[in-house]
Structure formats: structure tokens, C-alpha cells
Amino acid sequence: MALKIFLGGKLVDEADAKISVFDHGLLYGDGVFEGIRVYGGRVFLHQKHIDRLFESAKAIRLTIPMTPKEVMSAVEATVKANQITDGYVRLVVTRGAGSLGLDIRKTSNPQVIVIADTITLYPPETYTKGMHLVTASTIRNHPGALSARIKSLNYLNNILARIEGTDAGMVEALMLNHKGEVAECTGDNIFIVKNRVLMTPGLDAGILEGLTRNAVIELAREGGYEVREMSLTRHDLYVADEMFLTGTAAEVVAVVSLDGRSIGSGQPGPVTKDLLERFQALTRSGV
Ligand code: PXG
């Protein structure tokens, strides 16, 4: 079925959802986005996604031509028009059409685009057996060049690392930062468990502040686990009892090997399973 897309302030047919070839979102990857899940017809962590979108936009000096409330209504309307009960929303804001040059003052009409569709997840066996990972040689963008906190339309850094993962036959890849520390995966944050303590890189590692990451940290603390945000090396990962990734698409997914080292028992571990259950309960709770 053809989708209804929110574009230009209204819902239009997919075939009519077109933007200018002069849009700097296309010419320079100049814009921001969010990837949001819909569970049981409800937009999950909606307010937090909208807040992050507006923060990303602020950081790149992009004025979104709608209020946060209006953007939320547009998302709700698009989900409803496409009868999505369990699915995925891609919310995009481009810089708008401009001249063939970098000057943002010569652009106009930033485009707010909402696509609501069903979601393609990792292969089912990934969830039962866990995922295998390699470390990419491509490091995460230096935070002094482009903050990883900005969820920008320029994902080449992550795409180059993801290519290394797919070349190795894997669905994700680990990225280090410019200091050689563990940062995150190409579209997921990373956690390890050692002696029942959870550890994950802090925001100063140059990572996206994942909303799933934040939710899992909160759920873990509520569940009585200690959680440390700290600098991690690959060695810390190799000798962990458990490892898992968090992300909007992935939810919570176990990692059972990294760079040919099996992690812990080589099977999804008990803490990972517990946190996945707690996270799935949260997705059903209507937040
Ligand atoms: N790090 C990076 C670099 C990401 O792009 C995450 C961590 C996890 O963040 P959230 O807030 O989702 O927990 C992301 C998120 C897609 C897609 O279609 C990618 C993401 C989210 C949703 C969809 O590739 N990345």
C-alpha cells in the first residue's frame, strides 16, 4: 500500500512527496532526523525524541518551522493515516533549498518530513542467539569536528564503519573514538556486564545519547543494578561476562562475540535477558 507522507505541512501521497534537488539536506547532508518506534499504536518516548530533534537542530543553527507540539501532532497524524500499530517513524528536517554553496543564509524553506512505516528488524536468530561483532577501522567522528550528539543527516561516518561490518558478514560493527576508546556501534549504543555491574561509555566518549540507552540505564538502576558510565577499552569488552546493544530498532540485543573472542558463555546472558524483558514491559506501558 502506498504511504501517506507528511510534507509541506500536510499529508500527501508517497508519489507526490518530493523535495527540491537544491535542498541542502541532499546536497550536504545538512539537516537532522529521528528514528522513533510505534508500539501498540503509541509513539514511544515521543517527547524525548522531539526534544532531541530540536536540540540537534539548535546545534546546527537550523530553525524548525514548526513548534515541538506541531511536530508531535504531525507524527501522530502520519502514524494514524498509515494505520501503523507497530512500526517505525522517520522524522526528518532538512535545511531547505539553497544555492550551490555552503552558506545557510542562502537557503529557505526547511522541510519537515514524517514517514511512518512498518519496521525491518535484525534477523530473528539475532535475538535468540545473539549477535557477532567486529571492530571497524573507521573511528567515530572526532567530537571537535562534529558532535555525535547531533543526529544529523550525514551518516557517512557510520555507513563506512557499517560497510566493514557487512563485509565481515555481520549486521553491526563496533566503533572506537579518536582516543582508541570504545564509543558505540553504527546505529546502537553498547553496554557490558561484569560481575553484575553494567558499564557503558559516557557521553564524553563521543557518542549519540541514545534514548534506548538512557531508558535501559534507568530501568537497570530501578532493578537494583549498578550502572557506570565510564571509559572502556576493547580489552574490557573482550573479558566482559555479557555484552549487549541498545537502539530504537534493536531494542536490547545480546552480543556473543567480538573480533573472534566469544563473550562470557558465548550465549545471551541473564542480565541482558532481564533488561530486555524490563525494556519490553516499558514499551507496553504507554510512555
Ligand atoms: N548510536 C547511533 C549512532 C545511532 O544512530 C543509536 C546510537 C541509538 O539511539 P536510540 O535513541 O535509537 O536509542 C542510534 C540510533 C536506522 C535507525 O534506521 C538508526 C537509529 C535509530 C533508529 C533507526 O538506521 N540509530
Side-chain angles (χ1 to χ4, degrees):
M1 194 189 78
L3 296 176
K4 291 276 186 199
I5 311 288
F6 181 90
L7 176 69
K10 57 182 192 294
L11 287 161
V12 299
D13 287 336
E14 187 179 330
D16 300 324
K18 294 175 181 163
I19 65 164
S20 168
V21 293
F22 291 99
D23 195 304
H24 281 206
L26 174 67
L27 292 177
Y28 300 111
D30 185 354
V32 294
F33 80 101
E34 282 295 321
I36 313 173
R37 277 290 272 271
V38 179
Y39 293 105
R42 285 185 300 253
V43 182
F44 184 58
L45 301 177
H46 199 174
Q47 184 68 55
K48 288 189 163 70
H49 280 285
I50 300 299
D51 289 348
R52 189 170 64 181
L53 181 81
F54 276 78
E55 287 180 5
S56 292
K58 183 174 190 183
I60 68 161
R61 302 258 309 257
L62 169 58
T63 306
I64 298 177
M66 293 168 72
T67 64
K69 267 209 167 98
E70 286 167 349
V71 176
M72 284 178 95
S73 303
V75 169
E76 300 283 2
T78 312
V79 167
K80 217 170 150 201
N82 292 285
Q83 297 167 11
I84 301 293
T85 43
D86 289 287
Y88 176 70
V89 171
R90 172 62 55 93
L91 171 56
V92 179
V93 186
T94 71
R95 180 75 70 183
S99 59
L100 295 177
L102 301 181
D103 192 344
I104 63 166
R105 294 170 305 178
K106 294 183 180 148
T107 60
S108 55
N109 298 328
Q111 298 293 317
V112 179
I113 304 164
V114 187
I115 306 166
D117 205 351
T118 49
I119 183 160
T120 320
L121 297 172
Y122 289 127
E125 63 270 19
T126 313
Y127 289 89
T128 49
K129 294 188 184 151
M131 182 184 274
H132 300 270
L133 280 187
V134 282
T135 306
S137 64
T138 305
I139 62 162
R140 199 73 177 87
N141 279 331
H142 191 296
L146 177 63
S147 171
R149 303 276 299 278
I150 301 169
K151 202 162 163 62
S152 90
L153 290 182
N154 194 322
Y155 252 55
L156 271 178
N157 179 212
N158 312 55
I159 289 166
L160 293 179
R162 178 72 70 93
I163 288 170
E164 296 184 50
T166 47
D167 282 352
M170 291 160 195
V171 292
E172 253 294 10
L174 175 68
M175 298 183 79
L176 307 177
N177 66 15
H178 61 286
K179 293 188 267 185
E181 302 161 345
V182 172
E184 60 183 332
C185 289
T186 66
D188 299 290
N189 292 110
I190 191 157
F191 286 75
I192 56 171
V193 182
K194 183 82 175 174
N195 301 323
R196 292 187 68 79
V197 175
L198 271 77
M199 294 170 227
T200 193
L203 299 182
D204 57 357
I207 59 168
L208 183 76
E209 185 177 5
L211 298 181
T212 318
R213 168 191 186 273
N214 288 354
V216 166
I217 290 174
E218 214 175 298
L219 288 170
R221 287 187 174 140
E222 278 167 22
Y225 295 101
E226 186 185 336
V227 184
R228 294 186 198 146
E229 292 180 61
M230 57 185 283
S231 158
L232 293 171
T233 65
R234 272 201 292 177
H235 184 79
D236 295 320
L237 269 50
Y238 294 152
V239 301
D241 300 331
E242 297 181 38
M243 190 185 305
F244 63 87
L245 307 185
T246 62
T248 292
E251 299 183 328
V252 175
V253 60
V255 178
V256 294
S257 86
L258 170 64
D259 301 333
R261 283 85 166 168
S262 83
I263 303 303
S265 66
Q267 304 284 326
V271 178
T272 304
K273 283 186 189 158
D274 181 29
L275 291 168
L276 173 60
E277 279 167 25
R278 288 173 193 271
F279 183 75
Q280 285 176 333
L282 183 73
T283 66
R284 291 189 294 264
S285 73
V287 294

